[in-house]
């Protein structure tokens, strides 16, 4: 999608919402959702320390404001209690809708019960909220496909289908309190597992990833780069002696990939022939630069602007009491119910298409990437 088209789309999006929200906040709101007459939308984001959430929050906030909604955009520094307090404040401020990118999807039951009692609608943003009936809709990217694309990229690049190998693989997984992490891992592992079983992919660190919950043994809490870096240091020190080389790293996202690349660099790995294949997700700025510098092989880009656009439409329909668009009413069972969801497509980005996908679409300027 070209840059000019994206700008036109956002302006059109805001105009459409403005037209509808204006009417809903004056006339319809009483009738449709939430007892309150406010048109406040609460936006709860997990943290500012992971790059994408800054983009997510700012874009959605901007769209909703342009559409005439009042907004409360809050970041919780990856602290669950802080996020719960922020949600309680939004409820006490008579929010009409809460848009929540949860830190721990299992910890919000009690506060969302308060929201339900106040007839406040809840939209789970990017990460599913679990173990509660009080979540109305979910919007995200196809999380299982993200992992599948990472696994298929590894199979393709290493020539595993042609019988190449064995290769030394080090797998990582995301934060165990994040419902997405399981989907990312399962998507990748469903592709890679046959090659681990056939011995074409070997895991020198000995991670056993057989059982349903085994992915948690390789999870990096809070998606922290520094934790991933320390874990990679440990594995290299312990299991890569006598000239043994890491050939490929399954990194579920870019913040982990950054720490892993820093560890490899500190152990003497240099971009070039025997530099390991590292996967990623989010197209963070530093990682996109690493891809251009051959320090990371790919990232799965999720254009956060499209998620914001979709959620803004869901908020508006919810307030207006019209049909909320969803395209997956099966996959996301949160343990209490299947939450109707809207899934967006993730896209693989490698060095050769950084310009066409990330710059031409306006996600980054060429200048920002040093292009
Ligand atoms: C996931 C999200 C990813 C990644 C990660 C760390 O839930 O889907 O895009 O950003 O959190 O923030």
């Amino acid at each position: 999608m070209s840059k000019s088209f994206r700008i036109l789309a956002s302006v059109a999006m805001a105009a459409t919402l403005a037209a509808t929200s204006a009417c809903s906040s004056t006339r319809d709101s009483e009738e449709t959702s939430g007892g309150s007459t406010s048109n406040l939308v609460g936006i709860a984001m997990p943290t500012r320390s992971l790059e994408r959430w800054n983009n997510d929050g700012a874009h959605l906030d901007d769209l909703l404001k342009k559409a005439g909604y009042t907004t409360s955009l809050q970041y919780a520094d990856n602290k669950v209690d802080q996020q719960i307090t922020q949600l309680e404040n939004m409820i006490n401020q008579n929010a009409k809708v809460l848009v929540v990118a949860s830190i721990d999807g299992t910890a919000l039951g009690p506060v969302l019960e308060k929201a339900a009692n106040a007839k406040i609608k809840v939209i789970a943003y990017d990460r599913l909220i679990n173990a509660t009936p009080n979540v109305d809709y979910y919007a995200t990217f196809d999380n299982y496909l993200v992992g599948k694309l990472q696994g298929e990229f590894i199979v393709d690049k290493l020539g595993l289908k042609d019988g190449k190998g064995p290769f030394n693989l080090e797998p990582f997984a995301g934060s165990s309190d994040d419902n997405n992490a399981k989907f990312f891992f399962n998507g990748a592992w469903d592709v890679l597992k046959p090659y681990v079983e056939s011995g074409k992919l070997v895991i020198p660190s000995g991670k056993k990833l057989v059982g349903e919950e085994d992915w948690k043994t390789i999870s990096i809490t809070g998606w922290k780069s520094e934790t991933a870096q320390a874990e990679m240091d440990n594995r290299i020190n312990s299991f890569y002696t006598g000239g043994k080389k890491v050939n490929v790293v399954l990194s579920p996202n870019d913040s982990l990939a950054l720490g892993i690349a820093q560890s490899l660099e500190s152990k003497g790995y240099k971009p070039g022939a025997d530099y390991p294949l590292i996967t990623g997700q989010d197209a963070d700025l530093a990682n996109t630069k690493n891809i251009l510098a051959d320090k990371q092989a790919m990232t799965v880009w999720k254009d956060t602007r499209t998620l914001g656009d979709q959620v803004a439409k869901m908020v508006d329909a919810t307030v207006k009491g019209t049909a909320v668009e969803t395209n997956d009413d099966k996959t996301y069972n949160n343990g209490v119910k299947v939450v109707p969801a809207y899934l967006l497509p993730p896209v693989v980005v490698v060095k050769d298409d950084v310009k066409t996908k990330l710059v031409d679409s306006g996600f980054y300027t060429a200048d920002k990437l040093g292009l």
Side-chain angles (χ1 to χ4, degrees):
M1 192 187 288
S2 72
K3 193 184 313 181
S4 52
F5 184 82
R6 271 251 21 110
I7 295 166
L8 273 176
S10 301
V11 172
M13 165 67 61
T16 325
L17 296 177
T20 46
S21 70
C23 75
S24 64
S25 62
T26 54
R27 182 172 48 75
D28 299 351
S29 60
E30 301 281 348
E31 295 143 11
T32 51
S33 65
S36 80
T37 57
S38 88
N39 69 340
L40 172 65
V41 178
I43 306 170
M45 291 284 145
T47 177
R48 283 196 178 284
S49 64
L50 290 160
E51 186 174 307
R52 65 155 292 181
W53 304 111
N54 297 288
N55 304 330
D56 289 276
H59 180 66
L60 181 57
D61 188 62
D62 181 51
L63 271 182
L64 291 171
K65 277 191 176 133
K66 281 200 180 102
Y69 289 98
T70 312
T71 62
S72 169
L73 170 61
Q74 304 292 328
Y75 286 85
D77 201 18
N78 258 353
K79 297 190 181 79
V80 174
D81 292 347
Q82 191 172 324
Q83 186 164 63
I84 291 170
T85 304
Q86 289 169 344
L87 291 168
E88 276 164 352
N89 291 342
M90 294 167 181
I91 293 166
N92 296 337
Q93 291 160 2
N94 291 325
K96 205 129 201 83
V97 181
L98 300 177
V99 175
V100 186
S102 58
I103 298 161
D104 178 347
T106 65
L108 302 181
V111 70
L112 295 186
E113 189 167 346
K114 289 182 188 161
N117 294 342
K119 296 193 176 15
I120 297 172
K121 297 289 184 183
V122 174
I123 298 174
Y125 186 100
D126 192 83
R127 297 169 173 180
L128 186 61
I129 298 168
N130 290 308
T132 172
N134 302 314
V135 52
D136 302 284
Y137 301 102
Y138 177 37
T140 189
F141 293 86
D142 186 331
N143 299 304
Y144 181 85
L145 181 56
V146 168
K148 190 165 176 276
L149 292 170
Q150 292 167 338
E152 289 170 349
F153 181 85
I154 289 173
V155 168
D156 180 42
K157 288 295 166 205
L158 295 182
L160 290 169
K161 277 204 188 99
D162 312 325
K164 297 260 179 60
F167 297 101
N168 294 328
L169 162 72
E170 286 304 331
F172 286 75
S175 195
S176 57
D177 55 3
D178 180 348
N179 193 69
N180 288 349
K182 171 180 69 191
F183 284 84
F184 301 149
F185 176 76
N186 288 340
W189 213 241
D190 286 351
V191 173
L192 298 174
K193 197 171 170 185
Y195 298 99
V196 174
E197 288 167 349
S198 70
K200 290 298 182 186
L201 286 174
V202 178
I203 308 175
S205 61
K207 302 294 176 186
K208 291 265 170 299
L209 301 163
V210 183
E212 180 69 21
E213 298 297 296
D214 284 355
W215 68 275
K216 291 184 176 169
T217 63
I218 57 169
S219 88
I220 301 291
T221 302
W223 295 92
K224 288 199 170 120
S225 295
E226 55 274 23
T227 312
Q229 181 170 358
E231 171 61 18
M232 194 62 187
D233 285 349
N234 288 342
R235 293 189 197 183
I236 293 174
N237 295 341
S238 312
F239 305 104
Y240 287 82
T241 52
K244 185 182 277 189
K245 288 277 183 196
V246 180
N247 300 127
V248 52
V249 181
L250 173 65
S251 172
N253 90 324
D254 282 356
S255 60
L256 271 60
L258 204 63
I260 290 160
Q262 278 152 3
S263 166
L264 289 164
E265 203 157 333
S266 73
K267 303 294 175 190
Y269 287 81
K270 291 190 173 43
D274 66 355
Y275 189 82
L277 210 62
I278 307 176
T279 61
Q281 174 186 182
D282 291 329
D284 290 353
L285 183 59
N287 299 75
T288 305
K289 289 180 177 174
N290 270 3
I291 289 174
L292 294 169
D294 299 317
K295 289 182 189 168
Q296 183 173 323
M298 60 89 83
T299 189
V300 177
W301 176 44
K302 307 191 301 185
D303 188 344
T304 50
R305 298 167 299 179
T306 59
L307 181 57
D309 295 353
Q310 195 60 41
V311 170
K313 279 198 269 182
M314 288 171 127
V315 165
D316 198 55
T318 302
V319 169
K320 219 176 68 191
T322 56
V324 174
E325 191 187 4
T326 59
N327 61 11
D328 183 325
D329 296 337
K330 294 187 186 59
T331 308
Y332 287 97
N333 186 326
N334 78 349
V336 173
K337 67 180 191 179
V338 174
V339 182
Y342 194 98
L343 306 189
L344 290 149
V347 176
V348 170
V349 172
V350 296
K351 185 175 182 175
D352 294 347
D353 50 31
V354 165
K355 166 105 181 24
T356 48
K357 290 180 179 168
L358 299 181
V359 175
D360 294 354
S361 71
F363 195 74
Y364 288 125
T365 62
D367 195 44
K368 200 152 190 181
L369 293 172
L371 287 175

